Amino acid sequence: MDGGVLHQATADGVIEIVEISLKFFPDLLWYMYNNRSILHCAIENRREKLFNLMIDLMAQNTFAASKLDEVSNNILHLAAKLAPSPQLNAVSGSALQMQRELQWFKEVEKMVNTGFKLGRNSLGRTPRELFTESHKDLLEKGEKWMKDTSNSCMVVSTLIATVVFAAAFTVPGGNINDKGIPIFLKKNSFMVFAVSDALALFSSTASLLMFLSILTSRYAEEDFLVSLPRKLVLGLASLFVAIATMMIAFGAAFSIVIGERYDWVYIPVIVLACIPVSLFAILQLPLFWKIAISTYGPGVFRRRRSKVKHKSA
């Protein structure tokens, strides 16, 4: 089989061709085309499935991993380059793109020894220096994306905190004048109002602090790996809780005031209160899910038992 075809299949991410080729022609694992093995192609083109396949064959892959290309780039140099546009744009958001690039660099870094980490290519750059240079624009875009997202969410958190804080001192139905005790204190709906209002205040404040910490971060490269995504996940989760509990508090207060005359009023109130909560979940849940999975999930570098079984001689 032509090794160039195999390298092209690796660059295009056609894992079936690579698996079948290595099954019947295992020596292609060491084949160098333009001074690059299929491992080099998988890393440079960010083909995680093929990269995982190479890791499964790591015992046989030491030679291929140690080779340098035509400009003395080792595999860590290739991981330090900016990903091709199709693979980069497959991840939404500049901050998440930066996180994925860091994950690739860290994963390949585990494979190499200190010599590779400090090795310089023909342009005199170490892998870390090349990563910083090639991801400079993406780092700036990621910082802007994080700040814009945090600013928008901070406005909502501030509004919720202001509203629920004021509601705590203007309880529905008012107070007994001489004692200051709420008139409807003994009603179950009032306890629902009090608890949900307090939860809304605490969660909106927590959300506000999370987004504030994002705005005041240093925005170093390493921060995009775990620190900033974790803060964003916590901030979005707290904001969702704040919106949900605020609507519960409103529904409880509304039923207290109107329920004496219309005992069925809680039904439409509950339905209407679910609308903004559902809208927030529909609009923000995909972003929240992607960030959470990318930060806390198993990631794209999953070890799997290789399907490749070399044909016996």
Side-chain angles (χ1 to χ4, degrees), residues 251-298:
F254 195 78
S255 64
I256 290 174
V257 175
I258 308 297
E260 290 294 329
R261 182 172 179 180
Y262 304 103
D263 55 357
W264 49 267
V265 73
Y266 69 92
I267 298 177
V269 168
I270 292 174
V271 174
L272 293 174
C274 290
I275 294 177
V277 178
S278 300
L279 283 175
F280 181 84
I282 293 173
L283 295 174
Q284 299 298 328
L285 187 60
L287 175 62
F288 173 85
W289 181 253
K290 288 178 182 178
I291 300 173
I293 291 298
S294 180
T295 306
Y296 299 106

Side-chain angles (χ1 to χ4, degrees), residues 11-28:
D12 294 337
V14 187
I15 189 171
E16 295 82 4
I17 293 179
V18 177
E19 285 186 331
I20 294 174
S21 300
L22 293 180
K23 178 180 179 180
F24 292 98
F25 305 98
D27 288 344
L28 288 174

